[in-house]
Amino acid sequence: MAREISRGMMQDMEVTGPPLQHTMNFEDCDGVMIQQDTNMCCRCCCCHPNINFRMQGYTEGYTAGNDIEPWWYIWEDAGFLGRCLSCWCPGARQTTWTVRQGLAPDAPVLMTHEKSMTCSHCPCVCISDGGEPIRCPCCCCLPYLITRDASGHMLGKTKYVCNVPFCFVPKFDVVNGADVPIYHVSPDTWCCGCCVRCRLRQQGRRQRRFRVPYIIRSPTEPHEPLNDAAISDLWAGIIRDCCTKREVYGVKFPPSIPGQDTHGSKELLVGTTLLVNTLMHEHDS
């Protein structure tokens, strides 16, 4: 009898589809969690793989070491040569990330993010006596990421910004499909804007870590923060942060700006997060 009831419940699940959280409308989310799913331990140069991610709606109090639910899955498709050079020239490779509504490689497409070959924002110029790469900021042909919806319509672009003498502070301009700026994303700074200011953030009851949140700001100077909207690199646990390099990001979307066309802004900020990871963290492996 119990076996028949169980079989009936499984048949009902197959008919009704996946649980409700897996079919949640992306536009209804106030934010998202993005977790790297690819293990990067000892995988660089010719072993550098495509970088895939899980994504779900935003939740407070992420517990380090846990996997988030794959409401959506982000697949990368980059060429072999570009991946081989990623540790030397971060963000230079031509690539495409396809966000799908589920884990299946042929699941319906939610959005795509793509870029062609560019210069790196901080290419390696030489190696120190200790074997450490020495990098130099680059201010031309900088990395960007174009975001498109499921039908291929361009929603906008995220562009890395380099402005001397503040070239050591990462900054991103987010523009819509008409190339009109809608957001400016950058961390807080000190020393007259020349250095990044870290924050001691509490994650859970006892964990306190230095992090560098990328604040989502208004597009015009003085680039005031938009409430608590930010792209925050969360503490993923000692093994994931130091060995497998499986970063976890909490992205809080900003409120709508009156009089400004922000159609597709949430999709654009997902692309901004992917670009932040590619430029700031991926090459550390």
Side-chain angles (χ1 to χ4, degrees), residues 166-192:
F166 310 113
C167 52
F168 292 101
V169 177
K171 298 171 288 293
F172 302 85
D173 281 340
V174 182
V175 301
N176 62 20
D179 205 32
V180 176
I182 56 175
Y183 301 122
H184 179 81
V185 181
S186 65
D188 289 330
T189 60
W190 65 290
C191 192
C192 301

Side-chain angles (χ1 to χ4, degrees), residues 29-51:
C29 292
D30 295 327
V32 292
M33 307 288 292
I34 299 178
Q35 180 184 54
Q36 183 172 313
D37 201 35
T38 305
N39 186 335
M40 290 295 291
C41 181
C42 300
R43 304 184 74 177
C44 61
C45 296
C46 60
C47 296
H48 193 291
N50 285 309
I51 309 297

